[in-house]
Amino acid sequence: MFPEPPYFFLLAGLLVGVTSGLAFEATLKQLAQEWFRTRSTRTLVYLQGVQLQLPFLGICVGICIFLASGLEIFGFPASLSYVIAVSLTVLIALLVWSQLGKLLVQLERGGSRSIDLDSI
């Protein structure tokens, strides 16, 4: 009577999100180290090119599939699950990307000492 819960998509979304997150971390570290070494005139904000946007998009897609599958497991219809998941994912992605840009500007202005996470 009820459709089979999408456990495969739940695990696939989680796997895509985690692997894209690892690629995003490695790319961001590499770009920041390259900028720190050369202190080029290009600002860190402009380093947010395709090589950083692609893993970020992978994270967003993986998390969206994970959220939608989780909602489907709890009995939500697939269409409603994906509407909720896409809405949440887009909102959170915009907020995270904006915060990353602000953090890179702060890093560029004051170096790594300007980002004191212990004081927060």
Side-chain angles (χ1 to χ4, degrees):
M1 179 158 236
F2 291 108
E4 187 69 28
Y7 295 121
F8 172 76
F9 288 118
L10 183 80
L11 293 176
L14 183 63
L15 181 66
V16 168
V18 169
T19 55
S20 296
L22 292 173
F24 181 78
E25 176 194 16
T27 304
L28 187 60
K29 281 182 180 179
Q30 178 187 6
L31 288 174
Q33 286 174 354
E34 179 182 322
W35 174 84
F36 185 74
R37 238 182 314 111
T38 62
R39 294 286 184 172
S40 69
T41 57
R42 288 178 50 195
T43 60
L44 280 173
V45 175
Y46 294 117
L47 293 178
Q48 297 180 9
V50 174
Q51 56 184 330
L52 199 59
Q53 290 173 354
L54 191 62
F56 188 74
L57 182 63
I59 293 170
C60 294
V61 168
I63 296 305
C64 183
I65 293 170
F66 177 79
L67 286 174
S69 300
L71 288 172
E72 284 185 61
I73 288 172
F74 285 109
F76 284 84
S79 58
L80 180 62
S81 297
Y82 277 96
V83 166
I84 292 171
V86 167
S87 301
L88 282 174
T89 303
V90 167
L91 176 68
I92 292 171
L94 290 174
L95 292 173
V96 168
W97 194 257
S98 165
Q99 189 64 31
L100 176 65
K102 291 176 185 176
L103 189 65
L104 290 176
V105 166
Q106 186 179 5
L107 178 66
E108 181 180 5
R109 287 185 185 151
S112 61
R113 284 180 235 104
S114 68
I115 304 173
D116 184 18
L117 295 177
D118 294 332
S119 68
I120 296 176

